[in-house]
Amino acid sequence: MKDIDVIAVLQDPVRRRLYEYVAAQGREVGRNEAAEAAGVARTLAAHHLDRLTEAGLLESGSRRLTGRSGPGAGRPAKVYTRARVERSVSLPARDYRTAAELLAEAAEQAGLDAGLCAAARRRGESLRGAAAPCGDLEEAMELLAARGYEPHLEEGDGDGEGEGEREGSGQQGGRDAVVRMRNCPFHAVAERFPPLVCGMNLALLEGLLGVDGPVRARMDARPGECCVVVESKNNVH
């Protein structure tokens, strides 16, 4: 299926709500949960979820949602997660990814990491404009969401270890709360040139958030997420 046909699958408003909900969770989602979130019947949700899977926008599997195993644990339920493949449409056709990869390759071979990071930091500052440095994690999440990073707050246990999540909140419930990001806007190029592009990404966010405010960006790579996290400077021990 061509990308334009895949994207057209999201034209249905119920289907789009289901896709956006599953994508926002960062974990497996069952049919009942998705149906409740979208405000539709389970049978209708199942139809649309399977349609999204057929189009390659979601991936499906099965597991027991009760957390139990063995006799009496119930049958495995169908669950869904966002597919990792990228989809894009440009009219007329453009190929910015190839250009980005060629430029990244040339920059890496020429040892231009420092120059690229300096340019990225300036771009971040330009995007922030005359605004003051980011004031707290809630404001940081708004800025990151606007740029497609899909931020979520992960609470810590007070000793530097992040455990659990509280979705959609900008409140800092624990000393070690950090903002993690489920999406990297530069994912395709970062996969091929991770040190170069991740360093550029960090510098960009430093410029966007400001280095003189109460929050900071730092590297903390985790599989399936952006390599950068944002935290309060009070978290630094």
Side-chain angles (χ1 to χ4, degrees), residues 84-155:
R84 302 301 301 176
V85 64
E86 293 182 13
R87 304 288 185 177
S88 63
V89 175
S90 176
L91 298 173
R94 297 288 187 261
D95 190 3
Y96 299 115
R97 176 173 173 175
T98 296
E101 290 177 347
L102 289 171
L103 290 168
E105 182 178 356
E108 187 175 74
Q109 291 178 353
L112 299 178
D113 303 56
L116 177 61
C117 287
R121 192 171 290 106
R122 289 193 300 270
R123 175 58 64 91
E125 292 169 350
S126 176
L127 291 170
R128 178 161 52 91
C134 186
D136 54 31
L137 294 187
E138 183 174 2
E139 184 180 345
M141 291 180 69
E142 292 176 359
L143 291 171
L144 295 167
R147 302 205 63 80
Y149 282 92
E150 299 182 8
H152 63 99
L153 193 69
E154 183 174 277
E155 299 290 357

Side-chain angles (χ1 to χ4, degrees), residues 63-234:
R63 67 176 176 86
R64 288 187 174 89
L65 300 179
T66 61
R68 303 195 303 271
S69 60
R75 297 176 58 187
K78 200 163 188 179
V79 291
Y80 302 84
T81 56
R82 178 171 59 181
R84 302 301 301 176
V85 64
E86 293 182 13
R87 304 288 185 177
S88 63
V89 175
S90 176
L91 298 173
R94 297 288 187 261
D95 190 3
Y96 299 115
R97 176 173 173 175
T98 296
E101 290 177 347
L102 289 171
L103 290 168
E105 182 178 356
E108 187 175 74
Q109 291 178 353
L112 299 178
D113 303 56
L116 177 61
C117 287
R121 192 171 290 106
R122 289 193 300 270
R123 175 58 64 91
E125 292 169 350
S126 176
L127 291 170
R128 178 161 52 91
C134 186
D136 54 31
L137 294 187
E138 183 174 2
E139 184 180 345
M141 291 180 69
E142 292 176 359
L143 291 171
L144 295 167
R147 302 205 63 80
Y149 282 92
E150 299 182 8
H152 63 99
L153 193 69
E154 183 174 277
E155 299 290 357
D157 59 6
D159 61 2
E161 294 296 327
E163 293 181 0
E165 298 177 6
R166 184 171 66 193
E167 302 297 337
S169 170
Q171 300 299 315
Q172 301 174 43
R175 182 184 179 192
D176 296 322
V178 298
V179 175
R180 292 189 176 271
M181 296 165 265
R182 292 197 176 97
N183 183 52
C184 172
F186 316 110
H187 174 73
V189 188
E191 277 195 317
R192 289 197 57 189
F193 308 96
L196 181 77
V197 178
C198 290
M200 177 201 76
N201 187 28
L202 174 61
L204 177 71
L205 293 181
E206 287 175 339
L208 179 67
L209 301 175
V211 297
D212 298 325
V215 303
R216 70 162 189 162
R218 63 175 174 85
M219 288 289 193
D220 188 10
R222 193 161 74 176
E225 294 191 348
C226 179
C227 59
V228 178
V229 299
V230 177
E231 65 182 2
S232 168
K233 288 182 178 177
N234 292 331

